[in-house]
Amino acid sequence: GKFSKYFKCLPDSKSEELNTTNFYTPQDLEEIQWPPVINETRKRSKLCENFYENVIKIQNEMGMVFHNKEMSLQDLKWAVYILVSRVLTVQRGDGEGTQAKVLIPGIDMINHDSKR
């Protein structure tokens, strides 16, 4: 599709590039010894787990799959990581100063490895 080349540049859900705390084991997370990071990571993990249990798992059971593949909790954490690590906040052109969070293919690559 239109964005297939962009999607191919993203790390897959099993990539070693996923080195954010979202993918740390509980033991690795504790070694950070910085409560704000530990608490934020646990909060985001809990949100993912709750969303998975209450929405994704039910959709999988109902046969509502994406590209003929059921979504796993790891897939959901990957999607959250991609958004959180690449999203930009921009001003809307509504004259009211409101903001929107957007993914801009290409621009988001500035902070990421360009070897792909």
Side-chain angles (χ1 to χ4, degrees):
K2 186 176 180 180
F3 294 104
S4 62
K5 288 182 182 177
Y6 169 71
F7 290 127
K8 287 179 183 176
C9 291
L10 300 174
D12 67 37
S13 64
K14 294 173 181 58
S15 172
E16 290 184 15
E17 292 178 47
L18 302 178
N19 56 8
T20 178
T21 57
N22 292 352
F23 300 96
Y24 284 17
T25 65
Q27 297 81 11
D28 290 341
L29 188 59
E30 287 298 325
E31 287 183 24
I32 292 175
Q33 298 182 7
W34 192 25
V37 170
I38 294 169
N39 293 338
E40 181 64 27
T41 301
R42 285 181 179 155
K43 179 180 169 185
R44 192 168 28 246
S45 289
K46 190 68 175 163
L47 285 171
C48 283
E49 290 165 10
N50 287 341
F51 187 78
Y52 182 80
E53 288 296 319
N54 294 309
V55 178
I56 303 298
K57 194 172 179 182
I58 294 167
Q59 288 178 332
N60 286 341
E61 290 168 1
M62 294 174 62
M64 300 171 67
V65 296
F66 183 70
H67 287 275
N68 298 319
K69 180 181 181 271
E70 289 187 1
M71 182 180 277
S72 68
L73 179 58
Q74 176 74 9
D75 294 332
L76 178 61
K77 286 184 176 184
W78 170 85
V80 169
Y81 165 74
I82 292 297
L83 288 172
V84 168
S85 70
R86 296 168 188 272
V87 73
L88 301 171
T89 303
V90 297
Q91 295 291 320
R92 291 182 184 254
D94 60 5
E96 297 181 24
T98 58
Q99 299 177 335
K101 298 208 180 279
V102 297
L103 264 177
I104 304 173
I107 298 294
D108 68 309
M109 298 294 184
I110 292 171
N111 276 349
H112 295 274
D113 190 352
S114 62
K115 293 177 187 166
R116 292 180 145 277

